Amino acid sequence: MLSFFRKATVSTAEVPISVRVAGSGPGLLLLHGFPQTGAMWHRIAPALSTDYTVVVADLRGYGASGKPDGKPGGELYSKRAMAQDMVEVMEALGFGTFTVVGHDRGGRVAHRMALDHAERIEQVAVLDILPTHTVFRNANSDLARSYYHWFFLSQPYDLPERMIGADPEFYLRWCLRSWSTDMQAFSQPALDEYIAAFSDPATIHAACEDYRAGAGIDLEHDEADLDQKITAPLLALWGEHGYVGRKHDVVAEWQKKAEDVRGEALPSAHFLPEEAPVETYAALRRFLTLKGAEMPGRHDKEPPVSR
């Protein structure tokens, strides 16, 4: 599981960020979501590293990255702050411009990054999400049941921290099971990493701060940028068995936020890179090769993707 990736910690202006890096060529940043770590990319990141310098990062507050305590207002866990972390990480690794792929919370960081740092983002892919502002502004009883955790985790400190902290492994497994088609999609090494990371009270608190920011300062930032569109080409992927694809026209929603959008449903629920790794990899490669298709080092025969 990412065994040949080089592990490193990059010091940014605010927090140390844990990364795993492999390959050569253009920079490709992979961002995970809740309640996981960068290990969620283990089935497809090695294959991508044949043509790209793949940077698998843990978001601030998650995995092995720094976990600031948080403060009223949510600034420390705003997607703007998280995006700034990753821009500094890629700069430190030698990439002034790069492509970013984000799943779940990582997709929200990628969205903000493509707005705040448009000059740096060559392409952006968001996996199984709608824009945060869209979700909140179209909330109804169906969404509240499916996205209950948005409202639970964003409750004031320390209600969700205490409730999750009573049995963090149970809650993590419950989330993975309820948002996927099959728990067998999660390899045991990846699951072990998720459990170990999420068992840290600091991670639980950081995750809650992430969602508090999502319901607060992130919305303020989104409101201020309603007239701004992402200029980089954007790919939206979603699981055909998940809430996002069943309830929304995903491409149409992202066309309201970006100038150049394409997308497709994949045979999975929420966790595309683990439930449908072959299909996710293929969709990403088709998108990535839209730019620089003749770049040296590309292969006619793709390496196997781990199932």
Side-chain angles (χ1 to χ4, degrees):
M1 192 180 69
L2 302 178
S3 58
F4 66 87
F5 277 61
R6 173 176 60 89
K7 293 183 178 181
T9 299
V10 179
S11 296
T12 71
E14 292 191 350
V15 294
I17 298 295
S18 177
V19 298
R20 286 171 267 203
V21 184
S24 60
L28 177 59
L29 174 64
L30 303 182
L31 301 178
H32 66 89
F34 174 88
Q36 299 178 290
T37 70
M40 64 161 288
W41 299 104
H42 72 96
R43 298 193 193 280
I44 65 175
L48 289 169
S49 72
T50 61
D51 294 301
Y52 301 91
T53 302
V54 177
V55 180
V56 178
D58 288 344
L59 295 170
R60 73 159 66 187
Y62 292 87
S65 289
K67 301 169 179 61
D69 188 47
K71 60 182 181 180
E75 289 89 349
L76 288 180
Y77 286 90
S78 72
K79 303 311 154 294
R80 174 162 286 162
M82 289 181 164
Q84 181 64 36
D85 291 341
M86 296 306 159
V87 166
E88 293 180 29
V89 164
M90 295 303 282
E91 182 75 30
L93 295 174
F95 297 100
T97 62
F98 55 92
T99 292
V100 57
V101 179
H103 173 257
D104 189 82
R105 309 308 286 180
R108 303 186 190 286
V109 175
H111 181 190
R112 175 46 58 185
M113 195 184 307
L115 292 175
D116 288 357
H117 305 278
E119 74 285 355
R120 293 182 178 270
I121 305 304
E122 298 176 355
Q123 294 172 286
V124 56
V126 291
L127 276 56
D128 210 58
I129 66 165
L130 297 172
T132 301
H133 186 269
T134 301
V135 174
F136 275 114
R137 292 298 175 257
N138 293 278
N140 55 30
S141 61
D142 190 30
L143 180 136
R145 285 191 296 272
S146 298
Y147 276 36
Y148 85 93
H149 60 293
W150 280 39
F151 307 98
F152 167 56
L153 295 170
S154 62
Q155 291 301 303
Y157 176 84
D158 61 347
L159 176 65
E161 284 93 338
R162 283 182 177 271
M163 296 178 73
I164 296 170
D167 194 342
E169 182 176 342
F170 167 82
Y171 187 70
L172 181 139
R173 287 180 179 273
W174 195 93
C175 290
L176 297 180
R177 184 172 58 252
S178 62
W179 301 336
S180 68
T181 52
D182 185 357
M183 276 295 287
Q184 296 303 311
F186 306 103
S187 72
Q188 193 59 51
L191 190 57
D192 289 343
E193 180 170 320
Y194 303 153
I195 292 169
F198 201 65
S199 296
D200 181 354
T203 300
I204 297 171
H205 175 58
C208 293
E209 289 293 300
D210 175 7
Y211 280 85
R212 288 173 184 133
I217 193 168
D218 289 342
L219 278 180
E220 295 176 18
H221 293 159
D222 289 347
E223 290 277 2
D225 292 335
L226 283 179
D227 294 331
Q228 182 181 355
K229 280 194 169 187
I230 294 171
T231 55
L234 183 143
L235 172 68
L237 299 176
W238 63 92
E240 62 185 15
H241 303 300
Y243 173 84
V244 171
R246 287 188 290 106
K247 298 294 183 178
H248 297 273
D249 184 335
V250 181
V251 170
E253 292 296 348
W254 279 106
Q255 284 174 334
K256 299 174 185 177
K257 304 295 182 182
E259 295 177 356
D260 180 1
V261 180
R262 68 215 72 211
E264 62 182 287
L266 300 182
S268 72
H270 180 56
F271 300 98
L272 280 66
E274 290 166 292
E275 295 180 75
V278 172
E279 295 83 355
T280 302
Y281 172 77
L284 288 175
R285 282 305 300 252
R286 286 193 296 273
F287 177 61
L288 293 171
T289 53
L290 289 174
K291 194 169 188 177
E294 304 304 319
M295 195 173 296
R298 298 191 182 279
H299 302 278
D300 293 329
K301 184 177 180 181
E302 301 295 351
V305 176
S306 170
R307 288 188 184 273

